Amino acid sequence: MASSFLLVSLLAVVQIGAASASNMYNHFDITWADGRGKILNNNELLTLSLDRASGSGFKSKNEYLFGKIVIQLKLVAGNSAGTVTAYYLSSQGATWDEIDFEFLGNLSEDPYTVHTNVFSQGKGNREQQFHLWFNPTADFHTYSILWNPQRIIEFKNSESIGVPFPKNQPMRIYSSLWNADDWATRGGLIKTDWTHAPFTASYRNFIADACVMSSGASSCGSTSASINDKGWVSQELDSTSQEKMRWVQKNYMIYNYCTDKSVFLKAFLKNAPSYH
Ligand SMILES: *[C@@H]1O[C@H](CO)[C@@H](O)[C@H](O)[C@H]1NC(C)=O
């Protein structure tokens, strides 16, 4: 277990100037609270919003089995304490696989927390938490999930020592913005300030260089039929990224399932509701 280590793909975070626009309508369906989730600007921008009555969410039209999945995201700005923006890949059923990012809002001058987890065959408990080392609300930032048969970024596939790894079940992408002020902000101490509602998170420039599952068959793109043609299939972190990872872990990691014994965080994790 100790050898499997989830590294947030936040390492792959880069601020991007111009990138080719993608049609969000082709990739996603708004699934929760229609009217609060919107596709705008010539279908290039997707926004989710949260008010006192409801949050909102979307899911991908496609199911993926391995790939490099990239999106640009601008999180709820200002006083976002109590809000949670979840962005995750998940399969279905009782023994589901899931790769999770939850962005926990904070008071205006305080850092966001990102909470990551991986479930395989219904088993999670691989949480890690970091403070973000940049302001995720001032601009769009790029978030990548690299999921290949060996690793989810730095979550190594250690199945040989009995830790199941998500690699058989296709997953859809989901995202939602919701109110979690009963637990998210310092254990529920700080409540969502509804005078700032509606809260909005924005998404754009989605690119899935991935294998799409359809009726049990996998298709990895129009020109290359095989997953083995994909550069990401054996991709690992290069030495620059590994160095950055160590820097993030040293300076910004709050919680790591491998080591932490904190009572507060245990309570935090126990109270965190599941959004399935
Ligand atoms: C908010 O900021 C405070 C102060 O830096 C920090 O302790 C806390 O972990 C941050 N995150 C949340 C979700 O409250």
Side-chain angles (χ1 to χ4, degrees), residues 104-106 110-113 131 184-186 254:
L104 280 49
N106 215 333
D110 287 337
Y112 260 72
T113 295
H131 280 147
T185 315
R186 289 161 235 185
I254 317 166

PDB file of all heavy atoms in Angstrom, residues 104-106 110-113 131 184-186 254, ligand 1:
ATOM      1  N   LEU A 104     -12.241  22.658  -2.462  1.00  0.00           N
ATOM      2  CA  LEU A 104     -12.986  23.217  -1.343  1.00  0.00           C
ATOM      3  C   LEU A 104     -12.715  24.712  -1.256  1.00  0.00           C
ATOM      4  O   LEU A 104     -11.566  25.126  -1.076  1.00  0.00           O
ATOM      5  CB  LEU A 104     -12.543  22.538  -0.035  1.00  0.00           C
ATOM      6  CG  LEU A 104     -13.115  21.158   0.306  1.00  0.00           C
ATOM      7  CD1 LEU A 104     -13.038  20.173  -0.829  1.00  0.00           C
ATOM      8  CD2 LEU A 104     -12.406  20.587   1.529  1.00  0.00           C
ATOM      9  N   GLY A 105     -13.776  25.483  -1.383  1.00  0.00           N
ATOM     10  CA  GLY A 105     -13.657  26.933  -1.359  1.00  0.00           C
ATOM     11  C   GLY A 105     -13.221  27.441   0.004  1.00  0.00           C
ATOM     12  O   GLY A 105     -13.165  26.705   0.981  1.00  0.00           O
ATOM     13  N   ASN A 106     -12.901  28.731   0.041  1.00  0.00           N
ATOM     14  CA  ASN A 106     -12.394  29.303   1.281  1.00  0.00           C
ATOM     15  C   ASN A 106     -12.766  30.782   1.347  1.00  0.00           C
ATOM     16  O   ASN A 106     -13.317  31.339   0.389  1.00  0.00           O
ATOM     17  CB  ASN A 106     -10.871  29.119   1.353  1.00  0.00           C
ATOM     18  CG  ASN A 106     -10.390  28.862   2.770  1.00  0.00           C
ATOM     19  OD1 ASN A 106     -11.033  29.281   3.741  1.00  0.00           O
ATOM     20  ND2 ASN A 106      -9.265  28.189   2.892  1.00  0.00           N
ATOM     21  N   ASP A 110      -7.937  33.314   1.690  1.00  0.00           N
ATOM     22  CA  ASP A 110      -7.386  32.023   2.118  1.00  0.00           C
ATOM     23  C   ASP A 110      -7.352  31.021   0.967  1.00  0.00           C
ATOM     24  O   ASP A 110      -8.159  31.100   0.051  1.00  0.00           O
ATOM     25  CB  ASP A 110      -8.210  31.456   3.282  1.00  0.00           C
ATOM     26  CG  ASP A 110      -7.959  32.203   4.578  1.00  0.00           C
ATOM     27  OD1 ASP A 110      -6.885  32.828   4.678  1.00  0.00           O
ATOM     28  OD2 ASP A 110      -8.827  32.170   5.456  1.00  0.00           O
ATOM     29  N   PRO A 111      -6.417  30.080   1.038  1.00  0.00           N
ATOM     30  CA  PRO A 111      -6.235  29.176  -0.110  1.00  0.00           C
ATOM     31  C   PRO A 111      -7.315  28.097  -0.226  1.00  0.00           C
ATOM     32  O   PRO A 111      -7.819  27.597   0.777  1.00  0.00           O
ATOM     33  CB  PRO A 111      -4.879  28.522   0.192  1.00  0.00           C
ATOM     34  CG  PRO A 111      -4.766  28.560   1.678  1.00  0.00           C
ATOM     35  CD  PRO A 111      -5.442  29.819   2.113  1.00  0.00           C
ATOM     36  N   TYR A 112      -7.620  27.758  -1.447  1.00  0.00           N
ATOM     37  CA  TYR A 112      -8.452  26.592  -1.732  1.00  0.00           C
ATOM     38  C   TYR A 112      -7.736  25.330  -1.245  1.00  0.00           C
ATOM     39  O   TYR A 112      -6.506  25.274  -1.202  1.00  0.00           O
ATOM     40  CB  TYR A 112      -8.650  26.442  -3.240  1.00  0.00           C
ATOM     41  CG  TYR A 112      -9.971  26.954  -3.766  1.00  0.00           C
ATOM     42  CD1 TYR A 112     -10.233  28.321  -3.831  1.00  0.00           C
ATOM     43  CD2 TYR A 112     -10.934  26.063  -4.231  1.00  0.00           C
ATOM     44  CE1 TYR A 112     -11.436  28.779  -4.349  1.00  0.00           C
ATOM     45  CE2 TYR A 112     -12.135  26.514  -4.747  1.00  0.00           C
ATOM     46  CZ  TYR A 112     -12.390  27.872  -4.802  1.00  0.00           C
ATOM     47  OH  TYR A 112     -13.582  28.317  -5.304  1.00  0.00           O
ATOM     48  N   THR A 113      -8.521  24.336  -0.907  1.00  0.00           N
ATOM     49  CA  THR A 113      -7.975  23.016  -0.624  1.00  0.00           C
ATOM     50  C   THR A 113      -8.423  22.090  -1.739  1.00  0.00           C
ATOM     51  O   THR A 113      -9.579  22.164  -2.167  1.00  0.00           O
ATOM     52  CB  THR A 113      -8.525  22.492   0.728  1.00  0.00           C
ATOM     53  OG1 THR A 113      -8.037  23.329   1.768  1.00  0.00           O
ATOM     54  CG2 THR A 113      -8.079  21.060   0.989  1.00  0.00           C
ATOM     55  N   HIS A 131      -3.145  22.304  -0.143  1.00  0.00           N
ATOM     56  CA  HIS A 131      -3.543  23.682  -0.406  1.00  0.00           C
ATOM     57  C   HIS A 131      -3.076  24.018  -1.808  1.00  0.00           C
ATOM     58  O   HIS A 131      -2.003  23.571  -2.235  1.00  0.00           O
ATOM     59  CB  HIS A 131      -2.889  24.647   0.594  1.00  0.00           C
ATOM     60  CG  HIS A 131      -3.598  24.671   1.904  1.00  0.00           C
ATOM     61  ND1 HIS A 131      -2.959  24.875   3.095  1.00  0.00           N
ATOM     62  CD2 HIS A 131      -4.915  24.528   2.206  1.00  0.00           C
ATOM     63  CE1 HIS A 131      -3.840  24.848   4.075  1.00  0.00           C
ATOM     64  NE2 HIS A 131      -5.031  24.629   3.570  1.00  0.00           N
ATOM     65  N   ALA A 184     -17.203  21.114   4.875  1.00  0.00           N
ATOM     66  CA  ALA A 184     -16.028  21.393   4.040  1.00  0.00           C
ATOM     67  C   ALA A 184     -15.085  22.434   4.617  1.00  0.00           C
ATOM     68  O   ALA A 184     -13.883  22.348   4.431  1.00  0.00           O
ATOM     69  CB  ALA A 184     -16.457  21.821   2.641  1.00  0.00           C
ATOM     70  N   THR A 185     -15.606  23.431   5.262  1.00  0.00           N
ATOM     71  CA  THR A 185     -14.747  24.532   5.674  1.00  0.00           C
ATOM     72  C   THR A 185     -14.417  24.414   7.147  1.00  0.00           C
ATOM     73  O   THR A 185     -15.208  24.759   7.999  1.00  0.00           O
ATOM     74  CB  THR A 185     -15.420  25.878   5.366  1.00  0.00           C
ATOM     75  OG1 THR A 185     -15.960  25.789   4.059  1.00  0.00           O
ATOM     76  CG2 THR A 185     -14.448  27.009   5.428  1.00  0.00           C
ATOM     77  N   ARG A 186     -13.243  23.944   7.402  1.00  0.00           N
ATOM     78  CA  ARG A 186     -12.770  23.729   8.772  1.00  0.00           C
ATOM     79  C   ARG A 186     -13.823  22.990   9.599  1.00  0.00           C
ATOM     80  O   ARG A 186     -14.248  23.443  10.651  1.00  0.00           O
ATOM     81  CB  ARG A 186     -12.373  25.067   9.414  1.00  0.00           C
ATOM     82  CG  ARG A 186     -11.089  25.606   8.777  1.00  0.00           C
ATOM     83  CD  ARG A 186     -10.855  27.080   8.994  1.00  0.00           C
ATOM     84  NE  ARG A 186     -10.671  27.753   7.712  1.00  0.00           N
ATOM     85  CZ  ARG A 186     -10.359  29.034   7.578  1.00  0.00           C
ATOM     86  NH1 ARG A 186     -10.195  29.800   8.622  1.00  0.00           N
ATOM     87  NH2 ARG A 186     -10.218  29.544   6.382  1.00  0.00           N
ATOM     88  N   ILE A 254      -1.539  18.686   2.985  1.00  0.00           N
ATOM     89  CA  ILE A 254      -2.167  18.785   4.299  1.00  0.00           C
ATOM     90  C   ILE A 254      -2.431  17.399   4.848  1.00  0.00           C
ATOM     91  O   ILE A 254      -2.376  17.148   6.033  1.00  0.00           O
ATOM     92  CB  ILE A 254      -3.532  19.504   4.223  1.00  0.00           C
ATOM     93  CG1 ILE A 254      -3.469  20.720   3.327  1.00  0.00           C
ATOM     94  CG2 ILE A 254      -4.028  19.873   5.600  1.00  0.00           C
ATOM     95  CD1 ILE A 254      -4.845  21.245   2.961  1.00  0.00           C
TER      96      ILE A 254
HETATM   97  C1  LIG B   1      -8.772  27.817   4.292  1.00  0.00           C
HETATM   98  O1  LIG B   1      -7.718  28.622   4.775  1.00  0.00           O
HETATM   99  C2  LIG B   1      -7.243  28.277   6.047  1.00  0.00           C
HETATM  100  C3  LIG B   1      -6.206  29.302   6.477  1.00  0.00           C
HETATM  101  O2  LIG B   1      -5.099  29.296   5.621  1.00  0.00           O
HETATM  102  C4  LIG B   1      -6.719  26.844   6.029  1.00  0.00           C
HETATM  103  O3  LIG B   1      -6.346  26.455   7.316  1.00  0.00           O
HETATM  104  C5  LIG B   1      -7.794  25.893   5.500  1.00  0.00           C
HETATM  105  O4  LIG B   1      -7.258  24.592   5.374  1.00  0.00           O
HETATM  106  C6  LIG B   1      -8.284  26.376   4.145  1.00  0.00           C
HETATM  107  N1  LIG B   1      -9.237  25.466   3.534  1.00  0.00           N
HETATM  108  C7  LIG B   1     -10.486  25.255   3.925  1.00  0.00           C
HETATM  109  C8  LIG B   1     -11.288  24.332   3.117  1.00  0.00           C
HETATM  110  O5  LIG B   1     -10.945  25.794   4.898  1.00  0.00           O
END
